[in-house]
Amino acid sequence: MDFIEVSGIRCYGYTGYLPEEQVLGQWFEVDLILGVDLKDAGISDNLDDTSDYRQAIAIVKNHIKTTKVALIEKLTEMIAQEILSLPNVNHVRIRLTKLAPPIPDFPGNITIDITRKKD
C-alpha cells in the first residue's frame, strides 16, 4: 500500500469534556496518513488517479471548527469516517492532538491515534 502523509494541520476548535472547552475553545493539531494506491498517478500525472489531499485537510478543519463533542475520540472518528469517503482513499491513520489540555500541572499534550480502513 502507498501513503500520502499530511502533517501539522492546526486549527482552533471547541471539543472537550469541560464546559469551558466548548465555549472558549483551544488549539488542535492533526497529522494524517492516507492509504492510496499511487501507481496510476505516478504513471499518468493526473490528479484523478490519486487522492486530492486538500479535501482531507478541509475535512479536518471543518470538523475541528464546527464540531462540539465531549471527547476527542469522537471527533477523531468523525474525521476518519468522512476521509474514508473520499475517492481512492482505502485507509486512514489520524493523530489528533489537543495542544494545551486543561489539566492542572500538566504542560504536555494529549494525542488520539486511530487507524481505519474502508469496509
Side-chain angles (χ1 to χ4, degrees):
M1 184 180 297
D2 305 319
F3 301 97
I4 298 172
E5 293 189 32
V6 182
S7 59
I9 305 167
R10 283 188 175 224
C11 198
Y12 202 82
Y14 300 90
T15 290
Y17 181 74
L18 300 174
E20 56 268 25
E21 291 179 282
Q22 292 191 12
V23 174
L24 300 174
Q26 60 198 301
W27 284 99
F28 295 89
E29 183 170 291
V30 175
D31 298 324
L32 302 174
I33 298 176
L34 307 175
V36 179
D37 184 347
L38 299 175
K39 184 177 181 183
D40 290 343
I43 294 168
S44 71
D45 197 28
N46 185 333
L47 185 60
D48 292 335
D49 291 332
T50 186
S51 182
D52 186 346
Y53 47 81
R54 295 173 299 176
Q55 294 175 320
I57 293 168
I59 288 168
V60 169
K61 287 184 169 189
N62 181 59
H63 275 288
I64 291 174
K65 288 178 181 180
T66 63
T67 301
K68 287 189 177 186
V69 293
L71 301 178
I72 56 176
E73 292 87 341
K74 173 71 173 177
L75 176 61
T76 308
E77 185 67 34
M78 293 169 70
I79 293 168
Q81 293 307 315
E82 188 168 350
I83 288 175
L84 283 174
S85 73
L86 293 174
N88 302 321
V89 175
N90 301 311
H91 169 271
V92 65
R93 179 177 178 194
I94 300 176
R95 291 179 47 84
L96 185 145
T97 301
K98 187 183 279 195
L99 296 172
I103 301 170
D105 298 319
F106 178 69
N109 49 44
I110 305 296
T111 300
I112 298 300
D113 186 335
I114 67 169
T115 300
R116 299 292 181 266
K117 296 179 182 178
K118 272 191 179 159
D119 295 332

